[in-house]
Amino acid sequence: MRLLTHNLLSSHVRGVGPRGFPPRLQATEVRINPVEFNPGFIVRMIPKVEWAALLEAAGNLHLIEVPKEPIQGYEHNEEFLRKMHHVLLEVEVLEGTLQCPESGRVFPLSRGIPNMQLRDEETET
Amino acid sequence: MSDVQEATNQLLDVNLRENQMSVQVTESGPRSESEHLQVTIGATVPTGFEQTAADEVREKLGSSCKISKDRGKIYFDISVDSLAQVHCLRSVDNLFVVVQEFKDYQFKETKEEVLKDFEELAGKLPWSDPLKIWKINTCFKKKKTKRRKINLNSSKQKIDNGRGDTTVEKDVKKEFTNSVSDSQILDCYENPTIKEEVSTLIGDDLTSCKDETEENSKEEGDPEVLKFRVTCNRAGEKHCFSSNEAARDFGGAVQDYFKWKADMTNFDVEVLLNIHDNEIVVGIALTEESLHRRNITHFGPTTLRSTLAYGMLRLCAPQPTDIIVDPMCGTGAIPIEGATEWSNCYHIAGDNNPLAVNRAANNISSLLTKIQVKEGKLSLGLPIDTIQWDICNLPLRTGSIDIIVTDMPFGKRMGSKKRNWNLYPACLREMSRVCRPGTGRAVLLTQDKKCFAKALSGMGHLWRKVHTVWVNIGGLHAAVYLLKRTPQSFVHPSEQDGERCPCTQR
């Protein structure tokens, strides 16, 4: 699971609503997997990124060199874009957990795949 | 319309154009004549997606297409050196080279006369250039088949060495214990059509789109007699003959003309005789019908043809950086096609079935391995992730997804019609929540059109139906719906009605 995916995930435990975001990420196994750098993709993706969530996840994974926020003129700053590219697309969590920040419910993450299924009693509807 | 006219004129004058091309060749230099050959290619596409396929041809080959009245076929012209690229088209099922097209064939009155005409036709057709194309094409196929067989053997060996048997259930268990990085290209998950699906997906990528010349030089002067068959497809009310009769008599004449040997199953050349009312197209197949079509038609629509997945994705016009989700991905056919063709988007594949999720993940890693083999260097990751989730409770932020593309349970092989009654509205509701208001869209395939229409009818404030494509999936009449997400924000229902989510019922 990449950090870009994590940025989209939100716990859907009953009653939690928007407070289910972002799930707290813990990793026991991480892999760095190179992905072709596409600056146009990163430039357009940056406005969609939830920065606080990204920084929290990156912090939990002990990643260094993570920009704290979009800097002025980031569209043309290749160094910035490459760092964002690395953080969003090249860091893959293979084993770990995701925890709902509101209810504490833990979702397992194994072989790169998070299991976000809820039991009946936990669901909204 | 001028495009159609242009294409039509080109089709009618195949011979004339070839003569003109020869003249041009001598003027332009010492290149061999065959490289400048212009040919008309016919392609079969999933019915309903003819325009989508035509768009892809224009985009990738620069050729305009003529869409046949005979549903599911398009025609376009290319030069021979583009032949390899034609095989890289993602929206076509089968390809053939047109020998001749008759736009308004005059059938005689009696069966005997009509069949006699077919016999005489065989010797009058301009076979030589199409056969040159067929020969060049055979070299591509030989390479592809060889690679596929090698991979087939190696993955079979893995299974045999590991457990000593090859039953489907054992394969599935082995999936769990194997690491994700195992390159098992053929996953026989319950349905043998998936074998075709994945290998089509990956095999097509393996086709070398560049170095056919070395194969060409090895293929000179094959002394063996060619084996052939004639396949006739006939549609129309007023014909006084059957497709079998036409195939038989036309085939007999072809055999006399070329001195080839007739063989229905193990053939080199497949001659196509397509008759649709007054339109006749004679062609030579460039792909093997048996692989692509008959298996899938026979076994039913659980795994989506990659051509259909491609057509569905194209329908929603993905923009760079769009986040595209398949919340019921099964083996991942749609997101994998998406990640390959629209690598400037981000794809997420999800399913509630752990077997399916693992299958999808394995298909992705197999694809990565194949790309690595082909490119000969460390393969880069694809922009796709897999998640296990429930469609009725997607663990995604509200309004965060740009596109949803999925193959909804038909209620025949997966689930039931009764279950769909609750599932479809719940799906549409949850999809409307995660989909970005205003710009978001969904492309949904289903055979349960009644249930879908009812589910959609209560959601006019969230989804607007923009387009419907009627498709034929293994004999079932299905529909692909293109929906646009309205600008209205999603509001959580204030009451919890305590209804059990239908997708938790297994």
Side-chain angles (χ1 to χ4, degrees):
Chain A
M1 182 197 72
R2 296 183 168 88
L3 289 186
L4 181 53
T5 303
H6 169 264
N7 208 253
L8 298 163
L9 292 178
S10 178
S11 161
H12 214 60
V13 173
R14 191 212 301 262
V16 152
R19 295 180 306 278
F21 176 80
R24 214 155 283 148
L25 178 62
Q26 292 292 329
T28 51
E29 191 183 331
V30 172
R31 172 177 70 192
I32 305 296
N33 196 12
V35 174
E36 190 168 344
F37 176 58
N38 182 345
F41 179 88
I42 301 295
V43 165
R44 275 185 277 258
M45 196 51 100
I46 283 172
K48 297 185 189 181
V49 168
E50 289 284 335
W51 281 87
L54 180 66
L55 290 177
E56 187 189 303
N60 287 346
L61 297 182
H62 310 296
L63 296 180
I64 54 170
E65 296 254 31
V66 181
K68 295 276 181 288
E69 62 191 356
I71 62 179
Q72 194 91 37
Y74 67 82
E75 296 93 335
H76 311 292
N77 188 326
E78 188 176 315
E79 193 194 326
F80 175 84
L81 293 176
R82 279 193 183 272
K83 284 184 187 166
M84 290 309 298
H85 165 82
H86 179 76
V87 169
L88 289 171
L89 296 176
E90 295 188 327
V91 178
E92 281 191 62
V93 180
L94 296 179
E95 300 289 329
T97 58
L98 292 159
Q99 186 176 35
C100 174
E102 178 78 2
S103 68
R105 192 345 181 147
V106 173
F107 299 95
L109 201 172
S110 183
R111 297 165 68 207
I113 304 169
N115 183 350
M116 308 293 292
Q117 272 185 306
L118 296 169
R119 291 183 297 276
D120 289 357
E121 59 270 20
E122 295 174 297
T123 59
E124 291 262 340
T125 52
Chain B
M1 274 306 135
S2 62
D3 276 347
V4 173
Q5 190 58 46
E6 179 194 305
T8 310
N9 288 339
Q10 286 176 340
L11 278 169
L12 287 172
D13 267 329
V14 171
N15 282 331
L16 185 59
R17 198 177 347 99
E18 281 171 15
N19 291 336
Q20 289 172 347
M21 288 312 291
S22 314
V23 171
Q24 281 177 21
V25 163
T26 53
E27 285 170 6
S28 65
R31 283 179 80 177
S32 73
E33 193 186 297
S34 65
E35 282 184 19
H36 281 282
L37 210 52
Q38 279 274 320
V39 282
T40 303
I41 300 288
T44 55
V45 304
T47 41
F49 283 97
E50 293 89 352
Q51 190 55 54
T52 313
D55 291 343
E56 191 195 8
V57 168
R58 184 191 301 276
E59 182 188 297
K60 292 187 180 167
L61 302 175
S63 302
S64 53
C65 284
K66 180 192 140 196
I67 294 175
S68 168
K69 287 191 290 267
D70 187 5
R71 290 196 81 205
K73 289 198 182 66
I74 62 171
Y75 297 94
F76 52 93
D77 292 337
I78 52 153
S79 71
V80 157
D81 35 15
S82 304
L83 191 58
Q85 282 152 274
V86 174
H87 281 279
C88 296
L89 290 172
R90 303 303 301 171
S91 53
V92 307
D93 285 320
N94 285 296
L95 295 165
F96 55 94
V97 52
V98 173
V99 176
Q100 190 152 359
E101 192 204 17
F102 300 89
K103 294 199 70 56
D104 192 17
Y105 188 86
Q106 297 304 311
F107 289 100
K108 300 230 169 80
E109 294 288 318
T110 67
K111 188 197 289 198
E112 289 71 30
E113 290 174 300
V114 170
L115 293 177
K116 184 103 197 337
D117 278 350
F118 281 150
E119 283 176 34
E120 284 170 15
L121 188 62
K124 297 183 201 164
L125 295 170
W127 294 101
S128 64
D129 284 341
L131 280 172
K132 281 189 198 143
I133 305 300
W134 169 83
K135 197 163 193 183
I136 296 172
N137 186 74
T138 309
C139 303
F140 292 154
K141 277 197 330 198
K142 281 211 161 106
K143 240 187 179 166
K144 191 158 70 163
T145 319
K146 201 162 76 164
R147 276 220 178 97
R148 225 187 267 187
K149 280 193 179 141
I150 288 171
N151 294 322
L152 241 173
N153 288 335
S154 68
S155 67
K156 262 193 190 146
Q157 273 166 20
K158 276 185 188 167
I159 295 168
D160 287 342
N161 291 340
R163 300 278 167 139
D165 66 69
T166 53
T167 58
V168 173
E169 297 97 278
K170 289 281 161 76
D171 283 352
V172 168
K173 280 199 200 134
K174 193 165 167 65
E175 296 274 319
F176 272 119
T177 53
N178 281 347
S179 70
V180 178
S181 60
D182 265 3
S183 61
Q184 297 200 359
I185 307 140
L186 303 174
D187 290 333
C188 306
Y189 170 58
E190 290 179 70
N191 189 334
T193 56
I194 294 180
K195 186 196 298 210
E196 200 281 301
E197 220 24 73
V198 176
S199 56
T200 306
L201 200 59
I202 295 169
D204 285 349
D205 283 318
L206 281 182
T207 301
S208 156
C209 297
K210 280 181 239 166
D211 54 348
E212 74 271 17
T213 43
E214 59 171 56
E215 283 291 325
N216 265 345
S217 56
K218 288 180 198 158
E219 284 289 315
E220 291 307 310
D222 199 57
E224 273 182 32
V225 168
L226 286 178
K227 298 198 278 283
F228 84 107
R229 66 167 279 166
V230 172
T231 307
C232 176
N233 288 310
R234 186 198 65 77
E237 313 267 304
K238 299 182 190 152
H239 300 141
C240 56
F241 59 94
S242 75
S243 58
N244 281 339
E245 291 165 335
R248 180 198 62 208
D249 287 5
F250 184 68
V254 166
Q255 181 166 27
D256 290 339
Y257 184 73
F258 286 108
K259 312 283 180 254
W260 288 338
K261 195 171 157 222
D263 191 328
M264 294 302 277
T265 49
N266 196 15
F267 49 88
D268 303 304
V269 183
E270 184 178 11
V271 175
L272 304 169
L273 180 60
N274 292 331
I275 305 171
H276 187 83
D277 288 327
N278 279 6
E279 184 186 280
I280 296 187
V281 177
V282 180
I284 299 177
L286 298 176
T287 54
E288 281 154 33
E289 292 254 40
S290 56
L291 271 184
H292 284 261
R293 267 214 181 132
R294 290 174 209 148
N295 285 343
I296 292 176
T297 310
H298 185 63
F299 285 110
T302 29
T303 296
L304 208 60
R305 269 184 289 173
S306 58
T307 47
L308 203 42
Y310 179 86
M312 286 173 68
L313 282 161
R314 246 199 118 96
L315 205 57
C316 57
Q319 300 302 306
T321 329
D322 272 350
I323 298 174
I324 306 178
V325 170
D326 182 349
M328 295 182 276
C329 69
T331 55
I334 297 175
I336 289 172
E337 185 70 24
T340 319
E341 282 298 306
W342 285 272
S343 55
N344 57 1
C345 295
Y346 194 68
H347 305 266
I348 299 184
D351 202 284
N352 63 355
N353 185 335
L355 289 177
V357 165
N358 270 302
R359 189 76 42 176
N362 284 342
N363 283 338
I364 294 167
S365 62
S366 300
L367 181 60
L368 287 172
T369 311
K370 283 311 105 200
I371 295 174
Q372 189 165 342
V373 164
K374 177 188 172 192
E375 317 242 302
K377 58 177 186 211
L378 185 65
S379 88
L380 302 172
L382 288 170
I384 176 170
D385 262 344
T386 315
I387 304 179
Q388 186 173 339
W389 63 32
D390 277 321
I391 174 71
C392 303
N393 271 297
L394 291 173
L396 295 167
R397 279 194 280 130
T398 299
S400 59
I401 306 301
D402 296 293
I403 298 175
I404 296 173
V405 190
T406 196
D407 176 4
M408 300 188 67
F410 282 23
K412 284 201 171 333
R413 214 197 143 273
M414 275 292 173
S416 67
K417 284 280 162 82
K418 195 172 160 199
R419 218 188 96 188
N420 283 353
W421 220 242
N422 290 324
L423 181 64
Y424 276 28
C427 282
L428 282 172
R429 212 176 302 129
E430 187 67 344
M431 288 191 225
S432 72
R433 181 186 70 81
V434 304
C435 200
R436 210 181 295 276
T439 56
R441 48 245 191 255
V443 176
L444 309 172
L445 167 67
T446 180
Q447 195 255 334
D448 201 346
K449 304 181 281 290
K450 200 170 161 189
C451 185
F452 187 85
K454 182 164 194 296
L456 195 59
S457 64
M459 298 209 188
H461 58 297
L462 294 167
W463 290 113
R464 189 168 56 91
K465 185 166 69 171
V466 167
H467 189 50
T468 308
V469 180
W470 303 103
V471 297
N472 188 311
I473 311 247
L476 294 173
H477 291 286
V480 174
Y481 298 101
L482 171 62
L483 307 178
K484 285 250 162 93
R485 179 69 175 80
T486 64
Q488 183 166 342
S489 300
F490 184 85
V491 177
H492 276 276
S494 48
E495 289 173 33
Q496 302 282 353
D497 48 17
E499 228 179 82
R500 266 187 84 193
C501 175
C503 51
T504 60
Q505 297 160 17
R506 296 213 199 278

